[in-house]
Every structure is written in structure tokens, then in C-alpha cells.
Amino acid sequence: MQAIKRTKVIDVLRRTDYGATVNVKGWVRTRRGSKSVNFIALNDGSTIQNVQIVADVERFDEETLKQITTGACLSVNGELVKSPGAGQASEIQATEIEVLGTCGADFPMQKKGQTFEFMRQNAHMRLRTNTFGAVFRIRHNMAIAIHKYFHEHGFFYFHTPIITASDCEGAGQMFQVTTKNLYDLRKTDDGKIDYSDDFFGKQTSLTVSGQLEGELGATALGAIYTFGPTFRAENSNTPRHLAEFWMIEPEVAFNDITDNMDLAEDFIKYCVQWALDNCQDDLAFLNKMVDHSLLERLHFVVEHDFVRLTYTEGIRILEEAVKGGRKFEFPIYWGADLASEHERYLVEEHFKRPVILTDYPKEIKAFYMKMNDDGKTVRAMDVLFPQIGEIIGGSEREENYDKLMTRIEELHIPMKDMWWYLDTRRFGTCPHAGFGLGFERLILFVTGMQNIRDVIPFPRTPKSAEF
Ligand code: ATP
Ligand code: MN
């Protein structure tokens, strides 16, 4: 076969220099045809669009044509021609076809219309489908949008550790990191596990959040963000929780809760607008095949202000709803942690807009959140989105050393390994605020997918770590 430099499908479809000789490589999506001519839809992942290969049967031997089945990998040389059909501008009249990789009939993505559940069990091959191609191209674009937004706004990308020895945040839901022989654990005299001979000489885990180290960055560099993997061993088998997910955590010195809300709203709108501007083909596909109201919802979010109200006001609305006959699975009262159904009621039914809820009872929020003057609520903020519920959780931080210590003592938080965190409050403490955005929850929103397992290439959930 003649050696010709490869052109990506996305580029070949834009070319209009008809008559040129081109090479494309990719995987067969479909093949149809008659006795005299075959039409092969070829996709190389660069775009959701396929390029049509026209192969005159008489030019190719029977053996080659037989191997051109769905999923097979081809290299095609041919002439770029103007497509007579509607839709595509260009197609390729094949002169040479090499089958780089044949594909048997047991290719799991052969049939159309497989369930997402089936595709999840074949997550290694689902990447080859239109839907997952679209999702993961969008996922890439959102990562770019995030870095672009923060870079343009003077934030520094700050790397926080993945292995950590502080266990104050996610008590009980951390994955341990150890090189100890789990079948022969050395114990101390009082029966506890002795970590002194472990790799780090103490108990260590995978991080549940980069925030505490992020605060160190913010109180030195002014404004930072993290964007990295996070791990939570919470046994919550929901469509919105993963054991391994990616989180974006901006942290800003001198920001108060209002600045924090402004940042969250501006940031999320920027990301959604980025998708609308840069992922048109993939969004159009998802809007057609997965969720017909997707584009409408994305436009709605960028065009409308988020509603801002306090937790206390939110509870009042929910209690009114219950009085009016609305049924919820979980009880609602002042002090209760909102379940996803409550969050979605506020967003989807009551306000019909994204909602930022603030000033939660201190009992249901983390120790580092700044106490309000009422002594009962803290300056927390959750951003609640349609379809998703909580997409962002954040707060103004307690910068006062004594007040922070009081909370730590009230909650019996083990602080012996946290002296470095407390030092931020001892050496030039300052007001600051930040939040965490779950990357996959953003991707759920932007793609219209229903299950968080379908917006990360290889999901980790309870009892599932395949691939
Ligand atoms: P939820 O109540 O939904 O479990 P959370 O209150 O535990 O969330 P935070 O600790 O505030 O969440 O984390 C910040 C953000 O990280 C959340 O707003 C959410 O977008 C995301 N997030 C939290 N836990 C998970 C998870 N297990 N899988 C995916 N994303 C998550
Ligand atoms: Mn949680």
C-alpha cells in the first residue's frame, strides 16, 4: 500500500481540495452496500462524525471486503471527493484498503442500542461508541475550560498530596495506604495497630479533599486551585457517588462567602458556555440521543442568575411543600441534612433555577467553616443543580485560631497531625474562602448522562474496580 501521511477524520471532513489523495485510519462503524459498491462509515475518535468511504467492489478482493466488519480497524487511501449525499461535504473514493485489525462478531459494541448497564460491564470497549466518544471529548474540554478559567483569573494550579496522614476530614471513609502485611499485623501493647514500622511510620490514607493543603497555598499565593483525584470509601451506591472522583478546589485569600458565591457562579457558567462553544457536535448528538432537554438546560444555566437563599429559608419552603401534600422519602426539619430529593425539589420544582444555599447548621458541616454570629449556623454554601442536586460544596473558613480550636475540641477531632494546618491561623491569619466542585457531577450536567459511572472512563464503586 502506498505510504501517505494520515489525515484525521475531523480534518478530512473540513477539506475541500477535491481530487487530492488522502489517507485515513480508523474503526468501522457500519458498512452497507450493494453488489457493486460498499459504503463504509469510518470513525477515528477525533470527532463524532464519520467519514464515508466509497469502495467499488470490483477494485478489491473478496477476502479484504469480508474483513471490513463493524469494529475492524482500517487504513484507507483514496481520492477526496465532494459528497453527493446530503449532510457530509466530503467523502473518500477508496483506491487501497488495508485491514489493520479484524474484529470478530463477538465485539461487544457491535449491536446498536445496548443498555448503559451492558456497556458499563464492557467499559474497555464502550469508549468506541458514539455516546462515550462524545462524553469523553466533552470531559477533556471541561478540563481545559477549568484550567483556562483559573489561569485567566490569576489563580495558580496547586498540587496537593494524594497520600495524606490527616484523617480529620472524612473520618471513617478513607482508604488506607500501607505496605504492612495485613495477615501479620504488629500490635502495640494496648492492642492497636502499630504503624511505626509502616512505610510512612504512621497511618496514612488516600485524600478525600485537597482543601486543607489548598488553604496553605491560598494564604501564600493569594488564589489557588487544585484539580486532582479524590477518594472516598463511602458505601453510597448512588448515581452521583464514586469511590474515586476528580475534584476542583479553588481557595482564595480575602474572599468572603459572597465573593465565594460569585466565583462559583461565574466559574460554572464559564465552563458550561465553553461546552456550548466548543463541543457543538457532541452536544447535538447527546441532545438527540440521550436527553432532549440538554441544550435547553445548558443555555438556561448560563443565561439566568442562581437563586441565593439561606438553609433556614430553604427548610421553610420544604416544610410548606410537605404541608401542601408533597411527599419526600426522608423527613425534613431544621437541622436535617438535605437529601438529593430535597435539593432537587428546590431547584427543579420550586425555583426552577440553580440554587445556592448558605448558612447551614454547624452540626451538619465541617469544623473549619466560619461560625456566624448566631452561634448556630456556619458560612457554608452548597450550589444545587437541576438533575444533579449538590454540585459544589464550600464555605468561608474560620480564620480565628481560638474559635477554630473550640470547634475542633467540641468535635473531638484528632489534631495531633494537624499542627501545620493550625499554623495558618497563628502566622498572619486572614479571611479566606473556597469550594469543591465534583468534576464528574459537572460532566453529568453538561452531558445529560444519568449515572456518574458513565462520565468517567473507568469507574470505581463499591465492589467494582474492573479495568
Ligand atoms: P454529597 O452530599 O453529595 O455526598 P458532600 O457533601 O459529601 O456531597 P463535599 O465533601 O462538599 O461533598 O465535596 C465537594 C463536592 O465533591 C460535592 O459538591 C460533589 O460535587 C463532589 N463529590 C462529593 N462526594 C463525591 C463522590 N463520592 N463522588 C463524586 N463526587 C463527589
Ligand atoms: Mn458525601
Side-chain angles (χ1 to χ4, degrees), residues 173 232 234 236 241 245 390 441:
Q173 46 174 23
R232 295 193 184 177
E234 48 193 352
S236 34
H241 289 90
F245 64 102
E390 180 186 333
R441 297 217 183 149

Side-chain angles (χ1 to χ4, degrees), residues 116-146:
F116 284 133
E117 175 65 32
F118 173 83
M119 292 205 258
R120 234 168 269 147
Q121 286 155 12
N122 293 279
H124 61 310
M125 285 294 137
R126 68 178 179 171
L127 307 172
R128 298 256 194 99
T129 64
N130 284 331
T131 301
F132 287 93
V135 166
F136 294 123
R137 277 185 298 271
I138 292 172
R139 187 178 161 109
H140 157 81
N141 265 283
M142 298 319 287
I144 298 296
I146 287 160

